[in-house]
Amino acid sequence: MGRGVRSRWTALGVLATGMLMTVLDGSIVTVAMPAMQNDLGFTPAGLSWVVNAYLITFGSLLLLAGRLGDLIGRKRMFLAGTAVFTAASVLAGLAGSPAQLIAARFLQGVGSAMASAVGLGILITLFTEARERAKAIAVFSFTGAAGASLGQVLGGILTDGLDWHWIFFINLPIGLAAVLLAVPTLPADRGLGVRAGADVLGALLVTAGLMLGIYAVVGVAEHGWASAHTLGLGGVAMALLVLFVLRQSRGRNPLVPMRILRSRTVVGANLVQMLMVAALFSFQVLVALYLQKVLGYGAAATGLAMLPAAVVIGVVSLGASARLGARFGEQRMLVAGLALLVLALGLLTRLPVHARYATDLLPVMLLAAGFGLATPALTALAMSGAGKQDAGLASGVFNTTQQLGMALGVAVLSTLAATRTRSLAAAGSGQAEALTGGYHLAFATGTGLLLGAIALTGLLLRQPRGPRSA
C-alpha cells in the first residue's frame, strides 16, 4: 500500500475519532443524568437543559459551520472545533453547579458543530474513487451508529464505577489525540475565501431561525404543541428561514448557494434521514428507559443489553455495506435497511411488561443491522451532489437534518409516550403497565415514520434497474 493511500486512511481514522467523541458524548450523557441531578441539585425541568443546551447550539450552527469550512478551510474548522469541544468537556467535568454545566454544554455544542459539519466534506475530497469512498463512508457511518450504543455502555460503567464527571473527562485524551494526529494527516485546504460567501445577514438569519426552531421543538414536552410558546417561536423561526432562503436565491455571494438544493437525490436523502432519525429515537432512548423503568435494569446492564445492536451495525456497515451498495445501488440498500428497522420497531410494539431478553429484546437488537445498511446509503446519496467547493456545506446540511430529526423524535415520541402513560395510569393501570403502553404508542409512531421514509425513498431516490457498476 502506497504512502498516499496510507495517509488517506489515517486521515479517515482521525475524522472517525472526532465523530466518535461527539457521538459518545451525546449518548453517554443520557445514562448519567440521574447522577447529575442528585449531585448538582437540578430541578426536573432544569435537567433537560443538559441535553437541550447541547442540541440547540449543535443543531443551529451546523449549516453555518459547514459553509465557513468551505470558505476558510475545512481542516482549520475541524481543528478549531475539536479543540473547543475538548476544552468545553473539561469545563463540564469540573462543573460544580447546574449553571456551570449548562454553560459548558452550550460550548460543547459549538465545538461539536464546527468539527462535525466538515467531517464528511473532508472525507469525500480524500476518497474520490467509488469503491474506496464507499468503504470510507461505511467506516464513518459505523462510527456514528455504533458510538451511540457504545456510549450507553461506557456511560453506565463510568457512572457506576467512578462518577458522572468522568463521562466528560474521557474526552480530554481522545480530543488531544485527534488534534495532534489531524495536523499532519488531514489535507490542507485554503478555502474559497470569505468573500465568496460573505453574507453576514444570511448567517444571522439561518442561525437564529434554526436556533429558535430547535428551541421551540425541544420545549414541546413542557409547553405543548398548541401553546403560545411553541407556535410563537415556531412561527418566528419559520419566517426567519424563509427570509434566509429568499436572500440566498437573490444574493450575489450567498452563504448557501441554492445549487446544493436543486438535486432531488440530495434533498430526498436528507428528508429520509430526518424521518429515520426521528423514528430511531424510540429505539435508542425509549428502549433504554423501558429496560430501566419497567424491567429494573441498572445503567451498566442497560448499556450491555444494547451492545448487540452496536455489534451487528458494525458487522453490516463495515463488512457488507460497501459491497452491497456497489452491487445493488444505494437506493435498494437503503430500502432493505429501512425494512429491517420497520420489523424491529414493529416487534417493540408487542413488548410485554415482563419481557425476556433472549426472546423479546435480542431479536430487536439484531434487526438493528438495518441501521448499518441505511446510514452508509443515505450518507453516499446526500453527498452525491457536492463538488469540492460545496463539500463542507453538503456535510453541514446532512448533519443539520440529522439533528432536526433527533429534536423532532424527542418532541413527538416522548410526548406521545408520556401522554399515553398518564392516560393509562388515570384509568387504573399499574406503573409498569402504563409505561409500557406509552412506549408501545411511541414505537408504533416510529414504525409509521419509517414507512414514510420508505415511501419517500421510492418517490425521490429512484435509480435505474439492474446492478450498479463499481
Side-chain angles (χ1 to χ4, degrees):
M1 184 179 290
R3 179 179 177 85
V5 176
R6 285 199 302 269
S7 65
R8 286 202 304 273
W9 289 100
T10 303
L12 174 62
V14 172
L15 296 173
T17 300
M19 164 71 81
L20 179 64
M21 183 171 62
T22 56
V23 172
L24 277 175
D25 186 83
S27 60
I28 208 172
V29 166
T30 59
V31 179
M33 285 174 68
M36 295 176 192
Q37 184 175 21
N38 294 333
D39 189 21
L40 299 181
F42 272 102
T43 63
L47 186 64
S48 66
W49 279 96
V50 175
V51 174
N52 293 344
Y54 178 87
L55 183 61
I56 290 171
T57 50
F58 183 37
S60 62
L61 292 175
L62 279 165
L63 192 60
L64 177 60
R67 186 52 176 166
L68 286 177
D70 290 330
L71 299 178
I72 68 173
R74 289 181 283 272
K75 180 177 180 177
R76 292 191 187 98
M77 184 62 69
F78 180 86
L79 288 170
T82 304
V84 170
F85 181 85
T86 304
S89 296
V90 174
L91 293 177
L94 295 172
S97 70
Q100 290 174 358
L101 181 56
I102 290 172
R105 291 289 287 164
F106 267 107
L107 191 58
Q108 274 190 306
V110 174
S112 184
M114 294 168 66
S116 300
V118 296
L120 276 172
I122 296 173
L123 185 151
I124 68 166
T125 58
L126 278 171
F127 297 91
T128 56
E129 193 272 324
R131 188 178 296 275
E132 277 197 338
R133 179 180 288 187
K135 292 179 180 178
I137 287 176
V139 172
F140 198 76
S141 301
F142 161 72
T143 304
S149 298
L150 292 173
Q152 293 177 324
V153 179
L154 191 57
I157 293 172
L158 289 174
T159 303
D160 288 348
L162 297 171
D163 60 49
W164 65 266
H165 299 274
W166 285 93
I167 69 170
F168 297 112
F169 289 144
I170 196 174
N171 291 329
L172 179 59
I174 300 175
L176 289 175
V179 170
L180 292 175
L181 289 172
V183 172
T185 57
L186 294 187
D189 58 318
R190 300 180 61 183
L192 301 173
V194 175
R195 290 184 179 180
D199 184 4
V200 177
L201 178 57
L204 292 174
L205 286 172
V206 69
T207 303
L210 288 171
M211 188 170 288
L212 285 176
I214 295 172
Y215 177 58
V217 170
V218 299
V220 165
E222 180 180 354
H223 300 282
W225 285 102
S227 67
H229 178 277
T230 302
L231 295 178
L233 289 177
V236 173
M238 186 63 67
L240 290 172
L241 292 175
V242 169
L243 289 173
F244 168 74
V245 172
L246 291 175
R247 181 172 177 83
Q248 300 310 290
S249 63
R250 299 173 183 177
R252 181 173 299 177
N253 293 315
L255 179 73
V256 178
M258 289 294 100
R259 61 178 176 266
I260 197 70
L261 300 178
R262 292 185 186 134
S263 167
R264 188 176 70 174
T265 300
V266 172
V267 172
N270 278 281
L271 290 175
V272 169
Q273 179 187 228
M274 191 181 299
L275 290 178
M276 183 182 77
V277 171
L280 290 182
F281 164 80
S282 63
F283 177 83
Q284 282 189 318
V285 178
L286 296 185
V287 169
L289 290 175
Y290 168 82
L291 289 169
Q292 294 185 55
K293 293 188 174 183
V294 177
L295 299 186
Y297 282 36
T302 298
L304 291 173
M306 303 285 286
L307 187 58
V311 173
V312 295
I313 290 170
V315 169
V316 171
S317 61
L318 295 178
S321 65
R323 291 197 299 272
L324 291 174
R327 175 68 177 84
F328 299 104
E330 282 87 7
Q331 190 257 10
R332 293 187 178 94
M333 186 168 75
L334 173 59
V335 171
L338 291 172
L340 290 175
L341 295 174
V342 166
L343 290 175
L345 292 192
L347 288 177
L348 288 174
T349 63
R350 303 173 60 85
L351 274 181
V353 174
H354 303 291
R356 295 181 178 178
Y357 181 81
T359 56
D360 296 314
L361 286 162
L362 184 57
V364 174
M365 302 300 167
L366 298 179
L367 287 170
F371 201 69
L373 294 176
T375 303
L378 276 174
T379 305
L381 291 166
M383 300 299 292
S384 62
K388 286 187 176 181
Q389 73 274 21
D390 295 326
L393 173 61
S395 176
V397 170
F398 188 66
N399 282 284
T400 299
T401 57
Q402 187 180 79
Q403 294 306 308
L404 289 174
M406 188 180 300
L408 287 171
V410 171
V412 174
L413 300 182
S414 63
T415 302
L416 288 174
T419 302
R420 178 62 173 164
T421 296
R422 287 194 296 269
S423 175
L424 292 172
S429 297
Q431 182 183 14
E433 289 80 5
L435 285 169
T436 304
Y439 297 147
H440 283 170
L441 178 59
F443 296 143
T445 305
T447 304
L449 292 174
L450 289 173
L451 290 172
I454 292 176
L456 275 180
T457 300
L459 289 172
L460 299 177
L461 301 176
R462 298 172 185 170
Q463 66 181 39
R465 293 183 178 181
R468 191 189 68 169
S469 66

